[in-house]
Amino acid sequence: ARSRTVGELLAPTSPFDKKCGRENWTVAFAPDGSYFAWSQGHRIVKLVPWSQCLNNFLLHGTKNVANSISTRLPRQNSDSGQKNNPCEHIIDCGDIVWSLAFGSSVPEKQSRCVNIEWHRFKFGQDQLLLATGLNNGRIKIWDVYTGKLLLNLMDHTEVVRDLTFAPDGSLILVSASRDKTLRVWDLKDDGNMMKVLRGHQNWVYGCAFSPDSSILCSVGASKAVFLWDMDKYSMIRKLEGHHNDVVACEFSPDGALLATASYDTRVYIWDPHIGVILMEFGHLFPPPTPIFAGGANDRWVRSVSFSHDGLHIASLADDKMVRFWRIDEEYPVQVAPLNNGLCCTFSTDGSVLAAGQDGSVYFWATPRQVSSLQHLCRMAIRRVMPTSQVKNLPIPSKVVEFLCYQI
């Protein structure tokens, strides 16, 4: 089935605009669904209120030029940032933007720093931040409501390829870089760098937190997937199975599954707690043998994203296709065409998939179905129980297999 197009945001271009540097490497939705951000290329990040963006799609059809939104959205001056009156911003980051991440604060989550009274920033509950990772190794932190630059984090020596905030509201930020390291920053401690995670021998492409913020997954220019304990800042295990560079990763909403995308033309669904591959989604038929896995350059998988229903994932490959999969079915349930796609992510409510290419963003309606009561119960249990505990429950083996996503 073909997926239905919802809309598109097209970056403005001039006749002399350079094609290189206009790549849209990253798109992101705010945790509360209030904002959408994407890198337009050439240093520019666009921040738009998501609800007003959707309304424009409904009013004006699917096509939309990014700069024309500003004629219909109220502009906000830098002194009157109001959470209840979201407005758009155009942010010049000063260098090519490779990564974006939204972070929101929960006041009761204390900083790990002791001298809390010395802080320049006291992030309240209504705070929404945008982190941008740049080509020169810097990370800039912006206030989403005002568009103001708050912090400039400098420690990486190469491109900051990916960023992820801990979902628990602690404003712990992890950055993945081509300098082969991951760095952990505490924004409640004015952006103090707390830890450097070393283990990757080559570029680090991506990182993702588990929903309970206890585990970090990182992937890079190697076949291994790294899992880190974020309480001890130590490596838990490496997941071995891919046959080429692993470029993207994301946990399921209940933390029981981990999706990874690789240049070996495959997406794997893992049980991260025991390191087992539960599902394989191939983008080349027949699948290439391991020795040729890197040769199918037109089927390299670029990005993968988990829907909030825990049943669907989306993948984006170099064969000009976006695919929607169910985690319990072998073939895609929906597909959509996209040239030069680089990144994709589901909206906060899971109803829309955003995918970026060459400074523009395209949106599709996602496969929707009412989750079964069985699946909802499974997700509720798996949010609080790792696989080892589930296997010790005094319940029938078939139920254990279902809870472990093995049937």
Side-chain angles (χ1 to χ4, degrees), residues 184-248:
V184 186
W185 314 79
D186 185 353
L187 297 197
K188 288 195 175 180
D189 187 15
D190 289 346
N192 178 45
M193 195 192 72
M194 301 157 55
K195 201 71 181 175
V196 181
L197 303 179
R198 303 181 192 276
H200 286 270
Q201 301 301 309
N202 288 295
W203 292 358
V204 190
Y205 284 135
C207 55
F209 267 105
S210 63
D212 64 0
S213 305
S214 66
I215 299 173
L216 181 82
C217 174
S218 64
V219 296
S222 72
K223 301 170 188 177
V225 177
F226 291 69
L227 294 178
W228 307 84
D229 183 324
M230 291 309 285
D231 290 323
K232 301 174 184 172
Y233 301 115
S234 59
M235 193 187 300
I236 300 171
R237 64 169 58 89
K238 288 185 192 178
L239 306 180
E240 308 276 358
H242 279 295
H243 305 295
N244 203 332
D245 292 358
V246 190
V247 293

Side-chain angles (χ1 to χ4, degrees), residues 108-293:
E108 54 268 21
K109 277 283 180 186
Q110 289 299 315
S111 165
R112 299 190 186 188
C113 171
V114 179
N115 299 321
I116 201 153
E117 66 273 10
W118 294 100
H119 289 167
R120 291 164 54 207
F121 297 106
K122 288 186 169 54
F123 293 120
Q125 191 157 13
D126 59 348
Q127 195 78 36
L128 185 59
L129 305 177
L130 180 72
T132 54
L134 307 181
N135 195 65
N136 58 11
R138 296 192 176 189
I139 302 166
K140 292 188 176 181
I141 310 296
W142 309 83
D143 185 320
V144 170
Y145 300 128
T146 64
K148 286 183 177 177
L149 178 64
L150 300 178
L151 289 166
N152 196 350
L153 310 180
M154 295 175 284
D155 214 73
H156 282 296
T157 57
E158 286 278 353
V159 170
V160 179
R161 191 63 187 84
D162 200 15
L163 294 165
T164 182
F165 275 97
D168 61 4
S170 62
L171 289 184
I172 298 294
L173 174 69
V174 174
S175 53
S177 171
R178 285 187 182 172
D179 65 13
K180 307 176 187 176
T181 68
L182 297 137
R183 293 174 193 257
V184 186
W185 314 79
D186 185 353
L187 297 197
K188 288 195 175 180
D189 187 15
D190 289 346
N192 178 45
M193 195 192 72
M194 301 157 55
K195 201 71 181 175
V196 181
L197 303 179
R198 303 181 192 276
H200 286 270
Q201 301 301 309
N202 288 295
W203 292 358
V204 190
Y205 284 135
C207 55
F209 267 105
S210 63
D212 64 0
S213 305
S214 66
I215 299 173
L216 181 82
C217 174
S218 64
V219 296
S222 72
K223 301 170 188 177
V225 177
F226 291 69
L227 294 178
W228 307 84
D229 183 324
M230 291 309 285
D231 290 323
K232 301 174 184 172
Y233 301 115
S234 59
M235 193 187 300
I236 300 171
R237 64 169 58 89
K238 288 185 192 178
L239 306 180
E240 308 276 358
H242 279 295
H243 305 295
N244 203 332
D245 292 358
V246 190
V247 293
C249 59
E250 190 165 12
F251 283 90
S252 63
D254 60 2
L257 304 174
L258 172 67
T260 57
S262 168
Y263 287 165
D264 67 7
T265 73
R266 297 169 175 90
V267 168
Y268 284 156
I269 306 293
W270 306 78
D271 183 326
H273 302 286
I274 57 176
V276 173
I277 298 172
L278 300 176
M279 196 78 187
E280 175 184 324
F281 298 121
H283 294 66
L284 182 63
F285 300 98
T289 58
I291 197 168
F292 295 111

Side-chain angles (χ1 to χ4, degrees), residues 34-140:
S34 59
Y35 272 89
F36 175 73
W38 82 99
S39 57
Q40 277 193 2
H42 301 313
R43 319 187 321 186
I44 302 301
V45 168
K46 192 74 179 282
L47 264 170
V48 293
W50 176 236
S51 60
Q52 295 179 25
C53 194
L54 274 179
N55 288 340
N56 281 328
F57 292 150
L58 294 172
L59 287 172
H60 303 278
T62 61
K63 294 216 180 271
N64 212 328
V65 177
N67 271 13
S68 71
I69 301 179
S70 57
T71 61
R72 293 188 288 273
L73 297 182
R75 278 208 173 269
Q76 166 179 313
N77 66 52
S78 59
D79 297 317
S80 62
Q82 296 294 328
K83 184 180 180 183
N84 51 13
N85 182 28
C87 299
E88 71 166 56
H89 298 286
I90 299 172
I91 297 172
D92 186 344
C93 295
D95 206 341
I96 293 171
V97 181
W98 285 85
S99 49
L100 292 173
F102 282 98
S104 56
S105 174
V106 177
E108 54 268 21
K109 277 283 180 186
Q110 289 299 315
S111 165
R112 299 190 186 188
C113 171
V114 179
N115 299 321
I116 201 153
E117 66 273 10
W118 294 100
H119 289 167
R120 291 164 54 207
F121 297 106
K122 288 186 169 54
F123 293 120
Q125 191 157 13
D126 59 348
Q127 195 78 36
L128 185 59
L129 305 177
L130 180 72
T132 54
L134 307 181
N135 195 65
N136 58 11
R138 296 192 176 189
I139 302 166
K140 292 188 176 181

